[in-house]
Amino acid sequence: GDSVTQMEGPVTLSEEAFLTINCTYTATGYPSLFWYVQYPGEGLQLLLKATKADDKGSNKGFEATYRKETTSFHLEKGSVQVSDSAVYFCALIYQGAQKLVFGQGTRLTINP
Amino acid sequence: NAGVTQTPKFRILKIGQSMTLQCTQDMNHNYMYWYRQDPGMGLKLIYYSVGAGITDKGEVPNGYNVSRSTTEDFPLRLELAAPSQTSVYFCASSDSSLRAYNEQFFGPGTRLTVL
């Protein structure tokens, strides 16, 4: 079945460091891909999305590119801030489907 | 718009008790979902609904029931609570139109402990 695998956490970085959180997926078709972020004590919020191969999603300085050839959707940010500390979830869904498939989440902590 | 609201925020139940987790959305979305999030894990789908009067099971429906009598509300019922149901529960909704790309909007969650 379809699945999403994220890099193991937790990840701890210093402020202004470069961030990469890896995400790979297994799917039979061509799903849409998402990154959700969960700040402490809150629900999930959509961070960015890409709906077809080679699309780049971006928001708040974060970027991810839909790579069909490597079935990946890695999240990157050039210079992280303390306020980026959160849990990040990669997810996929097929157009017209109801079920989001989530990765297990990666906890990110940014130290000043 | 308030978006997706959930009540209560926290609850402690004894084994065998029952309760209803409330979820309401004001975005006129026809799709609604219930997830549970266990520590260190991703979200698992419990039940979902594609419109008023229509519900279906997700990955982990055992021990739960849902109903959808209106577009806005999607309550989750726990009967005979068990320690395995200790989790954080999230309700979500989405617009089914193609342009929406299935973006789901989440509530703040209900943290449930069963002792």
Side-chain angles (χ1 to χ4, degrees):
Chain A
D2 301 330
S3 65
V4 176
T5 302
Q6 295 180 227
M7 68 185 288
E8 291 286 329
V11 175
T12 303
L13 296 172
S14 298
E15 207 166 21
E16 299 184 3
F18 184 85
L19 169 71
T20 300
I21 300 178
N22 290 340
C23 171
T24 57
Y25 66 91
T26 303
T28 53
Y30 301 102
S32 297
L33 301 174
F34 302 86
W35 277 101
Y36 278 84
V37 58
Q38 184 180 28
Y39 298 106
E42 298 183 11
L44 280 69
Q45 303 173 24
L46 181 65
L47 180 60
L48 54 84
K49 65 178 183 286
T51 57
K52 61 183 186 297
D54 300 324
D55 266 3
K56 178 185 282 189
S58 61
N59 187 24
K60 299 182 181 181
F62 290 90
E63 293 183 338
T65 302
Y66 188 163
R67 303 284 189 202
K68 189 176 70 170
E69 62 277 11
T70 55
T71 62
S72 64
F73 193 54
H74 304 322
L75 182 68
E76 297 182 336
K77 187 175 184 182
S79 177
V80 292
Q81 306 299 314
V82 172
S83 58
D84 294 326
S85 298
V87 182
Y88 292 81
F89 292 93
C90 187
L92 68 81
I93 195 168
Y94 290 100
Q95 189 64 31
Q98 290 81 40
K99 182 185 167 195
L100 267 173
V101 178
F102 284 93
Q104 75 272 31
T106 301
R107 182 175 298 278
L108 173 67
T109 301
I110 307 300
N111 294 321
Chain B
N1 285 352
V4 180
T5 57
Q6 292 182 236
T7 56
K9 291 190 186 302
F10 305 94
R11 184 72 186 268
I12 298 174
L13 284 181
K14 293 182 179 178
I15 294 172
Q17 287 185 319
S18 61
M19 76 165 293
T20 299
L21 282 66
Q22 301 292 343
C23 175
T24 300
Q25 54 93 7
D26 63 359
M27 296 174 281
N28 202 33
H29 288 167
N30 47 0
Y31 286 7
M32 295 187 75
Y33 314 82
W34 275 105
Y35 294 91
R36 60 178 287 172
Q37 183 183 27
D38 298 326
M41 305 292 287
L43 277 69
K44 294 185 178 179
L45 184 64
I46 305 171
Y47 271 96
Y48 66 96
S49 168
V50 300
I54 306 170
T55 63
D56 208 347
K57 296 177 180 178
E59 299 174 79
V60 290
N62 292 344
Y64 307 95
N65 279 299
V66 293
S67 59
R68 184 96 182 271
S69 56
T70 66
T71 298
E72 296 78 20
D73 300 308
F74 190 41
L76 177 72
R77 177 87 177 157
L78 278 71
E79 305 282 3
L80 297 175
S84 61
Q85 293 178 304
T86 294
S87 191
V88 181
Y89 292 84
F90 289 101
C91 180
S93 71
S94 67
D95 180 351
S96 61
S97 63
L98 292 179
R99 66 179 181 274
Y101 292 107
N102 301 103
E103 177 182 349
Q104 294 188 14
F105 295 81
F106 286 79
T110 295
R111 185 175 296 276
L112 175 68
T113 302
V114 182
L115 300 174

